[in-house]
Amino acid sequence: MPPASRLSRRVTYTAAGLVLLLVAANSARAQATTAKPTTARPRDARTTRDARIADSLLALMTLDEKLGQLTQSPAGYGQTGPTVDAAGERDVRAGRVGSFLSLYGADVTRKMQRVAVEESRLHIPLIFGYDVIHGMRTIFPIPLGEAASFDSAAAYRSTRIAATEGAAMGLHWTFAPMVDVARDARWGRIMEGAGEDPYLGSVMASARVRGFQGDGLRTPTSLMATAKHFAAYGAAEAGRDYNVANVGERSMWEVYLPPFEAAVRAGVGSFMASFNEIDGTPAHASHWLLTEVLRDRWKFDGLLVSDWTGVQELLNHGIAKDPATAARRALGAGVDMEMSSTLYRSTLAAEVKAGRFPIARVNEAVRRVLLAKAALGLFDDPYRKVDVARERSDILTPANRTAAREIGRESIVLLTNRNVGSNPALPLRKDVRTLAVIGPLADDARSAIGAWSGAGRAEDAISVLAGIHRALPEARVLHVRGASIDTVSTAGFAEAERAARDADAVLLVLGERGDMTGEATSRASLELPGSQLALAQAVVHAAGQGKPVVAVLMNGRPLAVQWLADSTSALVESWYLGVEHGNALADVLFGDVAPSGKLPVTFPRVTGQVPIYYAHRNTGRPADPNNHYTSKYIDEPETPLFPFGHGLSYTTFGYADLRPSSSSIRPGDSLGVSFTVTNTGQREGTEVVQLYLKHDAASVTRPVRELARFSRLTLRPGESRTVRFTLRPEDMSFLDLDLRRVVEPGSLTLFAGGSSAAALESHLTLDGPTRVLAPVPPRMR
């Protein structure tokens, strides 16, 4: 291996510096042991150059330096923000760190990058990663809320802005999107994904990946995206975070894996392993999942990172007797970079030297880290044009706030809207004289930005109360907290009741505090926490008849709110909408914009119904109210409070003329589907039109219906439009008994409407031999 003196002391990552590096590396090529390229992508000049950089650096590196590249260290946090202490700087100089997480800010990232490229032996730049989940400084709706827009363009737009802001603050890599399908609302991290449906989840996963990565990773406004958590993290048993996922092989391939495959097809740069085990093997140690599925089946050639201490946690899982075993199992399964813990760095050198772990696997992982850095352009410009001026100019701009407001409007779901007198409760009149705004979340700007809010600040956010004041500058607004989220105290009820009696209209703002969803926030109960339900009951009683009492939810998961749905004038799901929460909500409440959101997840009547989702399979005894011995409850209906896809508008829509392009096709053919949608109300509105299909009979049981297509459609009063979709063979396929993807002969039922409860249906026949679209996948083990 050539001594460091053969390299310039300060390598400049230009063409000249690259040549110097390559010359030094080539002199040692015969002595180096490097991993072979694993990429299946076409090799253009850029990828060839990146590979030469990676291979040349591998030839120069010591084993300790290689393990340093596989180590991601967490930043600290000081009075001025993220920071790295003296020990961390020493690790960078010594080549013991390849990446930092949660280190952002133009000054501090430039400082640490300077240490890496000017003071370490091989001058390899660092990669800075962070959880940019739904915005960096401009915070957008939580991903579950944004999924309620059913608008992939909105998801692309928000992640494009988030990437631009994150990159301006020195980041290269985001640990997003989370693409876990989640069907148990008790799980706190349901707020980070797109809900319960694999098709919607796949569409949003693709959009978010493309938004984060923009026009290419080398552009200075891009972030490398991470598809997480691989896989089935959303199936945590009992909704308890980090728990076992008891998932069958068919469910893995049909429900939990499709959004991850969509992320691969969208070009995602990295994956993150999940905390859970699957069928006895933790994901961080699953060669089947991380290598056979991800790399061999899907041909993913990017970087795979652990979750926080995920490698170390193999000890707690009980599949490793010591840290060295845990490191061997994780790296051997396919985890390239270790986040937070340091088992790779502290144990694997000895394991390699003793012949207990192959150096080829270390080299393969290091090569992927280096290729990721090259793909991001860090060997050309390790600072990626980041400076304080750009940081100030690119974040929280008026245009970004406008985008947050517009996407927030689309994310709001109108759940119920009853008449008060002769008119619907919503929209509220702008000439209302006195409005009571009651509830513990009404003036909570911190909760408005939700969990995983990047570098967002509460002072940037518009609370519900602030949005009401802006929308109604002349009105008398009576604000009363009324109840606590944390206790069952009724101390504020009397004041709330007085406000309700004195007001012309009442707005109840209820739900969960922003820190009650996200990681490690599983709840055993989905009812309103604290004394909020009792507050709502007292306020509705005090308000009396003839006065609109509108309930607005702020939450990161479906809640069991049967009483609110039955007893208030209107019920609105607002999620956590980000920095423009109050403004976006006011736009909808007062009718400047009609609501258009649809639920991306089913709402239960009571917690005991969970998990509940629309695409369930039938039993041999489907629920029948006239037959006691059928699949139902004796104390609650088996149906949800609100089904997947539900959402009202300030107008109404009619569906008609659902027609397949042919009444009979051969398995493997595509199919056109059309239907007519009419705005049957009195104002313009946007409807999310939805097409579902059902296999009437098949060789294996199938869901009662599956979402196949959706689209947002804006119509004027009285306007009709024909919606046309094309279903591909893949849309009509499923996994047979051998897990081959096939299209079988038989009959299909199509459903079109505004939710998963759509009643308009049509039928067609698939006539001919079974068509095999894909062979048997690698079997779970």
Side-chain angles (χ1 to χ4, degrees), residues 605-768:
R605 297 175 185 274
V606 293
T607 304
Q609 288 183 302
V610 172
I612 183 170
Y613 48 93
Y614 85 92
H616 62 87
R617 285 168 163 80
N618 249 334
T619 71
R621 296 183 176 187
D624 181 349
N626 299 314
N627 186 342
H628 179 71
Y629 296 98
T630 56
S631 183
K632 58 184 183 298
Y633 300 103
I634 63 171
D635 55 349
E636 289 286 343
E638 78 283 353
T639 56
L641 179 60
F642 299 113
F644 175 90
H646 171 75
L648 306 177
S649 178
Y650 292 154
T651 187
T652 52
F653 299 95
Y655 289 75
D657 301 324
L658 173 59
R659 296 176 182 174
S661 57
S662 174
S663 61
S664 179
I665 63 172
R666 293 179 61 80
D669 290 349
S670 294
L671 176 74
V673 179
S674 65
F675 53 92
T676 301
V677 182
T678 302
N679 183 339
T680 56
Q682 303 301 311
R683 63 170 289 171
E684 181 175 280
T686 297
E687 170 76 327
V688 176
V689 298
Q690 300 160 52
L691 177 69
Y692 295 83
L693 63 80
K694 173 191 174 186
H695 295 268
D696 298 323
S699 60
V700 294
T701 62
R702 300 302 305 150
V704 294
R705 60 182 66 185
E706 300 170 86
L707 181 65
R709 290 289 185 274
F710 61 85
S711 181
R712 291 176 61 86
L713 186 67
T714 301
L715 297 173
R716 298 183 303 274
E719 182 182 5
S720 296
R721 195 174 304 172
T722 299
V723 177
R724 292 183 172 86
F725 292 126
T726 298
L727 297 181
R728 303 163 301 164
E730 290 81 3
D731 300 311
M732 295 173 276
S733 71
F734 56 86
L735 302 183
D736 68 5
L737 283 169
D738 298 317
L739 298 186
R740 300 177 306 168
R741 181 157 293 282
V742 301
V743 184
E744 289 185 347
S747 61
L748 290 178
T749 300
L750 303 174
F751 304 89
S755 80
S756 58
L760 180 64
E761 63 180 69
S762 186
H763 305 271
L764 73 144
T765 301
L766 287 82
D767 188 16

Side-chain angles (χ1 to χ4, degrees), residues 279-328:
D279 198 28
T281 303
H284 280 76
S286 176
H287 187 271
W288 168 77
L289 185 65
L290 306 184
T291 296
E292 294 173 39
V293 173
L294 181 60
R295 298 201 185 278
D296 299 342
R297 176 80 167 190
W298 293 346
K299 308 304 179 187
F300 173 72
D301 60 3
L303 178 63
L304 196 148
V305 65
S306 83
D307 208 333
W308 183 285
T309 67
V311 175
Q312 181 175 295
E313 289 171 25
L314 296 181
L315 295 164
N316 290 338
H317 278 288
I319 67 158
K321 64 180 180 179
D322 53 38
T325 304
R328 290 198 311 268

Side-chain angles (χ1 to χ4, degrees), residues 144 182-187 190 196 415 523-528 553 555 557-566 571 573 575 599 601-614 633 636-644:
L144 184 64
R183 292 176 166 180
D184 191 328
R186 294 172 295 181
W187 188 53
I190 192 172
E196 71 182 50
L415 299 173
R523 292 185 61 202
S525 169
L526 298 179
E527 277 68 35
L528 289 170
L553 297 175
N555 48 296
R557 56 161 62 85
L559 296 178
V561 287
Q562 177 84 62
W563 190 90
L564 291 180
D566 291 341
L571 181 59
E573 174 57 83
W575 318 102
L599 292 179
V601 64
T602 301
F603 271 47
R605 297 175 185 274
V606 293
T607 304
Q609 288 183 302
V610 172
I612 183 170
Y613 48 93
Y614 85 92
Y633 300 103
E636 289 286 343
E638 78 283 353
T639 56
L641 179 60
F642 299 113
F644 175 90

Side-chain angles (χ1 to χ4, degrees), residues 237-261:
E237 193 174 66
R240 200 171 73 245
D241 213 352
Y242 317 117
N243 204 5
V244 173
N246 283 318
V247 177
E249 192 168 14
R250 180 176 302 278
S251 292
M252 279 291 291
W253 286 104
E254 293 189 340
V255 177
Y256 295 101
L257 292 182
F260 288 99
E261 185 173 9

Side-chain angles (χ1 to χ4, degrees), residues 158-182:
S158 70
T159 49
R160 187 82 292 280
I161 291 170
T164 298
E165 292 192 346
M169 299 181 76
L171 293 172
H172 313 132
W173 187 9
T174 176
F175 306 124
M178 191 198 91
V179 301
D180 296 296
V181 172

Side-chain angles (χ1 to χ4, degrees), residues 57-94:
L57 282 169
L58 267 172
L60 294 171
M61 296 169 75
T62 67
L63 179 54
D64 286 340
E65 287 170 329
K66 290 176 181 179
L67 297 174
Q69 286 298 305
L70 305 186
T71 301
Q72 183 180 68
S73 294
Y77 203 87
Q79 291 183 339
T80 59
T83 185
V84 176
D85 61 17
E89 289 194 28
R90 287 195 296 271
D91 283 342
V92 174
R93 291 188 184 93

Side-chain angles (χ1 to χ4, degrees), residues 471-496:
L472 303 178
E474 305 300 323
R476 179 179 174 227
V477 178
L478 307 176
H479 171 231
V480 181
R481 284 182 53 84
S484 170
I485 289 179
D486 298 308
T487 73
V488 293
S489 170
T490 61
F493 282 24
E495 184 183 2

